[in-house]
Amino acid sequence: ISYSLLGICNSVYIVHYKPMDTVNDFDAANVVALDENAGPMEFTEYAPLVFRSIRQSLGISTDAYLKSLGAKNTSRLMEKTMLMMMDNNMKERSTEGRSDAFFYFTNDLRYMVKTIPAEEAMFLRSILRDYYHHIKNPNSLITKFLGLYS
């Protein structure tokens, strides 16, 4: 999970400074290259500006989101790559259900990261435009998706 969290934090931080253009972002993907001890890895955030807009409409700042995920320093940049210390103490829970998904809870228990199969990710991307417009309703009772990453 540590590489996933590093990828999420890097991608969210980089996109934070891009101008908002959700109209053209539903099919976008932000690819971040991570060069870690295990070798180079690519990390993708789907529809990053759409999910940033969703988080903002729910009153979740970029810094608060990143800190919940374990970022200790969200203000330093070097060679276009975010440098941060990660507090990787997320608690893992696995399900006994059919999907065998893994759930990770942030240290502050504000958010849950769930692994999903590629088919579910494709489905979420296919309904994202309608979901985006619906989730802006503050009385909505459906699950709040704050990002989609691979």
Side-chain angles (χ1 to χ4, degrees):
I1 187 79
S2 62
Y3 292 117
S4 297
L5 289 176
L6 186 60
I8 291 171
C9 289
N10 275 278
S11 183
V12 168
Y13 185 80
I14 290 166
V15 170
H16 175 71
Y17 294 101
K18 289 187 178 180
M20 188 67 76
D21 181 14
T22 55
V23 173
N24 297 315
D25 191 60
F26 288 95
D27 296 320
N30 183 41
V31 178
V32 175
L34 299 175
D35 190 14
E36 294 301 315
N37 297 336
M41 301 176 73
E42 279 192 354
F43 187 86
T44 305
E45 179 181 16
Y46 297 96
L49 297 177
V50 171
F51 285 108
R52 182 180 84 184
S53 178
I54 290 170
R55 290 190 299 270
Q56 287 175 342
S57 72
L58 296 171
I60 303 167
S61 73
T62 297
D63 279 346
Y65 184 61
L66 292 176
K67 284 178 183 171
S68 286
L69 291 172
K72 290 184 178 179
N73 181 357
T74 60
S75 62
R76 296 177 54 200
L77 288 174
M78 176 181 234
E79 298 177 5
K80 299 181 183 176
T81 302
M82 181 176 168
L83 294 179
M84 70 174 71
M85 294 298 294
M86 297 296 296
D87 180 14
N88 185 20
N89 292 322
M90 292 183 82
K91 293 151 183 61
E92 178 181 333
R93 304 283 187 265
S94 61
T95 65
E96 299 299 322
R98 189 175 60 125
S99 69
D100 290 326
F102 290 96
F103 294 88
Y104 298 92
F105 295 91
T106 59
N107 288 334
D108 60 8
L109 300 176
R110 292 190 62 161
Y111 307 110
M112 175 182 69
V113 176
K114 178 186 177 203
T115 61
I116 60 173
E119 301 82 37
E120 287 183 37
M122 288 184 344
F123 176 73
L124 178 56
R125 291 185 73 196
S126 74
I127 64 165
L128 188 55
R129 189 176 305 273
D130 291 333
Y131 174 81
Y132 171 78
H133 294 295
H134 180 79
I135 203 67
K136 294 287 189 166
N137 174 355
N139 298 318
S140 174
L141 298 176
I142 65 173
T143 300
K144 283 34 172 208
F145 292 100
L146 304 180
L148 179 61
Y149 312 96
S150 69

